[in-house]
């Protein structure tokens, strides 16, 4: 054949008449391999999915696995006899998945669709605010997490069961995608142990599922050897080339076109539902020998309700730590501000004066600094910091040589008294640890201070602090007893109720909260027991690079902890917040948390986001649609789409429960429509901003009056539409959709009184 002569290609439809290859005949009649590899891949996915809940619902997941195996192995047999019978059987199996996932049997048995949908809707609504692994007992949340596994399993099983013959690679991939999601979604939320080995296992199971049935018996050993070598090689090479940051930083390109996202933090404690920036934006990087807690401010003043910064006029000069401690725990940090704007100089422990353009001033306490100008993206500075992490034995032996006269302010609390306002509350100083003295008021106008404290809202806390202090033989023993007390019976939750006295309610009533409640309560008890203590705020270490010399910190790492003064060492940090907190979660925190006094082990890995990603379970349907699947494969996809649409509409019709939720929704709506709120903006100023639309201004006014004046009036749907129209101005052709996403309709808004 001469060069350039076109080659004749055989039409695909004529290839069927060719004689079957020996290898094809060898693989015929082995559907058990298909079912077995499906079961193995599904089992691995369920093992990973079980990490989202603690304790894991083992038997429910086993039941779902058996249900999926029945669907994958049994439905094809029924289909050969009767297609309608197979469809009916598939519907029954899908219905059985609901009670297996945790839907109450009586609701299922009596076909209480509305009640069941409401329970699932409640779980979906609460899902975005939970942390994984989920340790709570909310049945609705646990139900929807298990139901997510059921959707993925049955999605794969139905594709598997109703795929037309032959079962080609495209259809096999469509069945594998939900099972891959079953394994990968939990790994993205809860960092697995030995991640590269986990990836190797998933790779092997996927190869077996995709091509195990096709392998010729004689070639199986060679194929498995090649796959094993490729997988092991990848598992060895991957850790070496993983830079813990994107190879192509698209955000750097975007920075030349549009401004980057900028976070700002107010470190004073408020104790209400958490509204800090929590989007995972990178806020700073720190070059250091070891991970640390990167401090922004010390909150060393308790005003009777909350811990705040900068209220001590003069910080006395405390004794310097031992020279050996200074040499061991002092290092120079290189800090680069990324996606935040701050006047606080971020450092660690006690910082020496940094050299920053524009100059710095002393912060509210020794070792903290404020910049004379705002530090924004691109600012880099060097700072020398002393941050001690002595061992438990060293702290036990630290002794009682406290300079008590210099630590008076660190043992003082403002205590509510009669009808006095915050600024006029008596400042009660508590006696040093084990001194057998009585608390006193520095500017005495209360004759019997002990009775003042005992009769105040913090009387039970004072009794508890004295009890724990009396049972402790050393200051360190007292600190650890308070940590142990807060480690049992208290739950991490980012939506605690608002209370008049938040820390008292946290200790003796609600017993749930996040880092502000845990650190604030611990510092309160320690001061009442006679130890100099304060709250510190800033960030946990973040994520290290491959050499553990640079730490990338995101807004999720924002945190609050406790510092206690010890002879020979100075201020030493302690963290009472449970390890499931996002700022403490993940393998990146393991090394430096081991060094915290009183910490026996590294924290349990925890996700930085709630398990909302399970909603992506519908994506395999879209991926497989181009593979020429039978129309019967659309049935599971349509069922999932209809269920999601119904639940979404149910949630849309649900009225807001409180003014706080509506205010938070308004804040999100402004941000989503490109109008984020600046610091200090009030509802009254927002009402004035929308004065050109009386109805839109009336919506904000009703929120303001309901929140601060106790009004029982409610915003109307018409006012909400007017506000939405204001949000879409200036947004171009997409403005209407963007405003609808920012502030969706609530047809039943205000149909019942809000609390």
């Amino acid at each position: 054949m001469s060069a350039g002569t076109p080659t004749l290609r055989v039409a695909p439809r004529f290839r069927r008449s060719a004689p079957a290859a020996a290898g094809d005949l060898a693989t015929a009649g082995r559907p058990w391999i298909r079912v077995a590899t499906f079961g193995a891949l599904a089992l691995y996915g369920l093992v990973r999915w079980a990490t989202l809940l603690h304790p894991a619902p083992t038997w429910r997941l086993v039941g779902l696995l058996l249900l999926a195996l029945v669907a994958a192995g049994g439905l094809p047999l029924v289909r050969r006899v009767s297609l309608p019978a197979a469809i009916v059987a598939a519907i029954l199996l899908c219905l059985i998945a609901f009670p297996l996932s945790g839907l109450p049997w009586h609701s299922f048995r009596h076909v209480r669709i509305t009640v069941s949908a409401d329970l699932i809707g409640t779980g979906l609504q609460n899902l975005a605010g939970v942390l994984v692994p989920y340790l709570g007992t909310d049945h609705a949340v646990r139900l929807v997490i298990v139901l997510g596994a059921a959707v993925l399993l049955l999605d794969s099983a139905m594709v598997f069961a109703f795929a037309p013959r032959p079962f080609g690679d495209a259809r096999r991939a469509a069945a594998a995608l939900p099972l891959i999601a079953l394994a990968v979604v939990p790994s993205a939320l809860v960092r697995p142990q030995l991640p590269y080995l986990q990836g190797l296992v998933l790779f092997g199971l996927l190869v077996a599922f995709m091509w195990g049935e096709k392998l010729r018996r004689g070639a199986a050993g060679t194929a498995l050897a090649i796959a094993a070598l490729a997988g092991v090689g990848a598992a060895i090479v991957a850790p070496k080339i993983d830079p813990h940051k994107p190879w192509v930083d698209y955000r750097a390109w975007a920075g030349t076109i549009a401004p980057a996202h900028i976070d700002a933090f107010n470190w004073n404690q408020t104790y209400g539902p958490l509204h800090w920036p929590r989007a995972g934006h990178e806020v700073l990087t720190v070059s250091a020998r070891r991970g640390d807690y990167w401090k922004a401010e010390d909150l060393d003043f308790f005003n009777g309700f909350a811990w705040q910064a900068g209220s001590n006029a003069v910080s006395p000069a405390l004794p310097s730590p031992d020279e050996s401690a200074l040499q061991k725990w002092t290092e120079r940090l290189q800090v680069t501000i990324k996606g935040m704007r701050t006047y606080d100089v971020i450092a660690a422990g006690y910082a020496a004066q940094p050299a920053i353009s524009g100059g710095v001033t002393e912060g509210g306490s020794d070792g903290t600094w404020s910049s004379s100008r705002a530090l924004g993206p691109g600012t880099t500075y060097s700072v020398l910091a002393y941050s001690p992490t002595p061992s438990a034995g060293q702290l036990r032996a630290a002794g009682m040589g406290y300079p008590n006269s210099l630590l008076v302010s660190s043992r003082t609390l403002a205590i509510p008294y009669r009808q006095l306002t915050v600024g006029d509350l008596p400042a009660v100083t508590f006696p040093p640890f084990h001194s057998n003295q009585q608390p006193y008021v520095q500017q005495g106008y209360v004759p019997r201070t002990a009775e003042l404290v005992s009769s105040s809202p913090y009387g039970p806390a004072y009794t508890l602090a004295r009890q724990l202090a009396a049972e402790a033989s050393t200051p360190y023993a007292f600190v650890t007893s308070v940590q142990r007390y807060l480690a049992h019976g208290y739950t991490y939750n980012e939506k605690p109720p608002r209370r008049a006295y938040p820390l008292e309610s946290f200790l003796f009533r609600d017993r749930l909260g996040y880092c502000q409640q845990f650190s604030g309560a611990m510092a309160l008890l320690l001061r009442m027991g006679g130890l100099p203590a304060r709250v510190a705020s800033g960030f946990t270490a973040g994520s290290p690079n491959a050499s553990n010399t640079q730490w990338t910190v995101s807004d999720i790492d924002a945190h609050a902890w406790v510092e206690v003064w010890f002879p020979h060492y100075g201020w030493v940090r302690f963290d009472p917040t449970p390890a499931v907190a996002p700022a403490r979660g993940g393998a990146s925190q393991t090394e430096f948390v081991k060094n915290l006094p009183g910490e026996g082990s590294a924290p349990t890995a925890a996700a930085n986001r709630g398990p909302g990603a399970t909603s992506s379970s519908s994506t395999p349907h879209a991926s497989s649609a181009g593979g020429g699947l039978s129309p019967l494969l659309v049935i599971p996809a349509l069922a999932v789409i209809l269920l999601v649409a119904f639940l979404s509409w149910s949630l849309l019709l649900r009225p807001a429960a409180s003014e706080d939720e509506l205010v938070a929704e308004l804040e999100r709506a402004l941000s989503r429509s490109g109008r984020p709120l600046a610091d200090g903006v009030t509802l009254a100023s927002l009402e004035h901003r929308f004065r050109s639309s009386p109805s839109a201004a009336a919506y904000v006014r009703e929120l303001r009056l309901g929140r601060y004046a106790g009004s029982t009036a409610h915003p109307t749907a018409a006012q909400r539409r007017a506000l939405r129209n204001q949000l879409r101005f200036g947004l171009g052709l997409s403005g209407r959709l963007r405003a609808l996403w920012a502030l969706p309709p609530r047809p039943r808004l205000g149909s019942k009184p809000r609390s």
Side-chain angles (χ1 to χ4, degrees):
M1 181 180 297
S2 61
T5 303
T7 303
L8 180 66
R9 297 185 182 275
V10 179
R13 65 176 181 271
F14 296 125
R15 292 182 180 176
R16 295 180 183 176
S17 60
D24 295 333
L25 294 174
T27 61
R30 292 194 289 167
W32 63 268
I33 295 180
R34 187 187 312 176
V35 177
T37 53
F38 169 87
L41 187 56
L43 176 61
Y44 176 76
L46 285 177
V47 170
R48 296 297 312 135
W49 197 268
T51 62
L52 295 177
L53 290 166
H54 182 80
T58 304
W59 292 112
R60 293 193 185 281
L61 295 179
V62 169
L64 292 175
L65 176 62
L66 294 177
L67 197 68
L69 288 174
V70 169
L75 289 180
L77 301 179
V78 178
R79 183 182 167 209
R80 293 177 186 175
V81 178
S82 171
L83 180 59
I87 295 175
V88 172
I91 294 174
L92 289 176
L93 291 175
C94 291
L95 292 176
I96 294 173
F98 284 94
L100 273 179
S101 299
L103 188 69
W105 278 98
H106 60 84
S107 298
F108 181 73
R109 187 171 62 251
H110 297 296
V111 199
R112 300 173 64 182
I113 297 176
T114 303
V115 175
S116 302
D118 186 66
L119 179 63
I120 296 172
T122 300
L124 290 173
Q125 189 177 38
N126 296 338
L127 197 60
V130 305
L131 302 170
V132 290
Y134 180 60
L135 310 178
T137 58
D138 188 331
H139 177 66
V141 172
R142 299 184 72 88
L143 166 64
V144 296
I145 292 178
V146 178
L147 200 56
V151 169
L152 292 172
L153 276 174
L154 290 178
D155 183 12
S156 177
M158 295 306 169
V159 173
F160 191 97
F162 287 98
R165 302 186 188 89
F167 196 54
D169 287 346
R171 297 177 177 88
R172 204 178 295 265
L177 280 174
L179 300 182
I180 295 173
L182 195 68
V184 171
V185 167
S187 298
L189 298 174
V190 183
R191 183 176 175 85
Q193 295 182 345
L194 305 174
Y196 299 108
L197 181 59
Q198 297 274 6
L200 178 60
V201 172
L202 179 60
F203 169 76
L205 292 173
L206 182 60
V207 167
F209 178 70
M210 291 294 296
W211 299 292
E213 189 180 358
K214 295 183 175 182
L215 289 179
R216 301 177 184 177
R217 288 188 173 90
T222 303
L224 289 176
I226 294 173
L229 288 175
V232 171
I236 294 174
V237 173
K240 304 297 183 183
I241 63 176
D242 181 6
H244 292 275
K245 60 181 180 180
W247 288 3
V248 179
D249 190 356
Y250 67 91
R251 288 180 297 183
W253 302 348
T256 62
I257 304 172
H261 180 90
I262 304 297
D263 283 335
F265 297 86
N266 179 358
W267 300 108
N268 287 329
Q269 299 196 338
T270 58
Y271 307 114
L274 191 60
H275 294 306
W276 283 354
R278 302 294 294 264
H281 296 128
E282 180 181 338
V283 294
L284 62 106
T285 61
V286 183
S287 297
R289 295 196 308 266
R290 59 190 175 97
D292 210 319
Y293 279 36
W294 316 120
K295 185 195 294 187
E297 293 181 357
D298 290 319
L299 310 183
D300 45 21
F301 176 71
F302 183 74
N303 67 2
F305 302 89
W307 289 91
Q308 295 183 339
S311 294
N312 287 335
V314 178
S315 298
L318 295 171
S320 181
D322 292 351
E323 186 62 31
S324 58
L326 289 172
Q327 292 180 358
K328 182 175 183 179
W329 289 302
T330 299
E331 69 168 311
R332 184 165 294 279
L333 312 176
Q334 187 83 9
V335 181
T336 300
I337 305 297
K338 297 287 189 178
M340 70 180 295
R341 191 172 302 278
T342 178
Y343 285 90
D344 296 313
V345 175
I346 311 297
Y350 181 100
Q353 182 172 353
I356 295 179
S357 176
V360 295
T361 58
E362 293 186 7
S365 60
D366 284 348
T368 61
W369 302 89
S370 296
S371 174
S372 301
R373 61 179 181 84
L375 306 178
T379 301
T380 299
Y381 58 88
S382 176
V383 59
L384 198 64
Y386 166 70
S387 182
T389 55
S391 67
Q394 289 173 317
L395 292 178
R396 289 191 193 96
M400 299 284 290
Y402 285 84
N404 291 317
S405 61
L406 301 178
L407 291 167
V408 169
S409 62
S410 297
R411 300 194 314 274
T412 299
L413 303 167
I415 299 296
Y417 178 68
R418 294 182 179 175
Q419 302 300 320
L420 296 178
T421 60
V422 173
D424 297 325
L425 295 181
V428 177
T429 298
F430 294 85
F433 178 74
H434 281 191
S435 66
N436 296 321
Q437 300 174 10
Q438 293 296 318
Y440 63 93
V441 175
Q442 295 178 10
Q443 297 177 353
Y445 62 91
V446 180
R448 304 196 59 161
T449 306
E451 292 182 5
L452 179 153
V453 177
S454 299
S455 61
S456 76
Y458 298 103
Y462 180 48
T463 301
L464 174 62
R466 287 194 300 172
Q467 176 185 342
L468 295 176
E471 295 171 353
S473 58
T474 65
Y476 177 70
F478 178 35
V479 175
T480 55
S481 69
V482 173
Q483 278 191 298
R484 283 194 299 269
Y485 185 86
L486 295 176
H488 297 88
Y490 292 86
T491 303
Y492 185 89
N493 188 297
E494 295 184 348
K495 296 183 178 179
R498 294 186 182 275
R499 303 294 188 190
Y501 299 99
L503 296 184
E504 181 274 337
S505 297
F506 168 74
L507 283 171
F508 303 106
R509 181 177 175 183
D510 302 320
R511 296 179 179 270
L512 56 86
Y514 47 96
C515 61
Q516 289 190 4
Q517 282 82 1
F518 281 93
S519 61
M522 181 175 178
L524 181 79
L525 293 174
L526 290 176
R527 283 200 180 185
M528 287 181 168
L531 285 187
R534 65 191 183 191
V535 175
S537 56
F539 304 91
T540 51
S543 302
N545 62 2
S547 59
N548 288 336
T549 57
Q550 186 178 76
W551 302 77
T552 300
V553 183
S554 75
D555 52 17
I556 293 175
D557 298 311
H559 196 48
W561 60 94
V562 175
E563 292 184 343
V564 185
W565 200 91
F566 280 87
H568 309 294
Y569 303 105
W571 293 102
V572 178
R573 72 172 180 264
F574 294 84
D575 195 343
T577 304
V580 297
R584 298 195 65 189
S588 64
Q589 309 288 344
T590 298
E591 293 304 320
F592 80 90
V593 175
K594 285 182 178 179
N595 295 324
L596 285 178
E599 295 285 349
S601 60
T604 305
N608 289 336
R609 295 179 297 277
T614 55
S615 62
S616 63
S617 59
S618 61
T619 54
H621 300 289
S623 300
S624 62
L629 298 180
S630 167
L632 291 174
L633 297 180
V634 181
I635 293 176
L638 288 177
V640 173
I641 293 171
L642 289 175
L643 177 62
V644 171
F646 174 77
L647 293 176
S648 299
W649 181 246
S650 299
L651 291 176
L652 197 63
L653 294 178
R654 184 184 302 275
S658 66
E659 283 79 14
D660 283 344
E661 287 190 12
L662 288 175
V663 170
E665 180 191 49
L666 176 60
E667 185 177 354
R668 288 195 303 271
L670 290 167
S671 179
R672 288 173 176 176
S673 58
R675 300 171 176 86
L677 294 177
D679 292 339
V681 174
T682 64
L683 287 173
S685 61
L686 275 180
E687 181 182 343
H688 182 72
R689 179 186 300 180
F690 293 118
R691 63 190 182 278
S692 60
S693 172
S695 294
Y699 184 97
V700 181
R701 182 168 60 254
E702 295 298 345
L703 296 187
R704 177 173 60 82
L705 295 178
R707 192 177 198 190
Y708 298 109
S711 172
T712 58
H714 316 300
T716 65
Q719 292 168 349
R720 190 177 179 89
R721 284 195 300 272
L723 180 61
R724 189 183 308 114
N725 289 334
Q726 291 295 308
L727 294 180
R728 69 183 179 90
F729 282 153
L731 297 183
L733 295 177
S734 64
R736 188 177 296 274
L737 289 177
R738 188 168 178 180
L740 188 64
W741 169 63
L743 199 71
R746 289 183 181 270
R748 293 169 56 196
L749 182 66
S751 63
K752 63 180 181 179
R754 298 191 303 271
S755 58

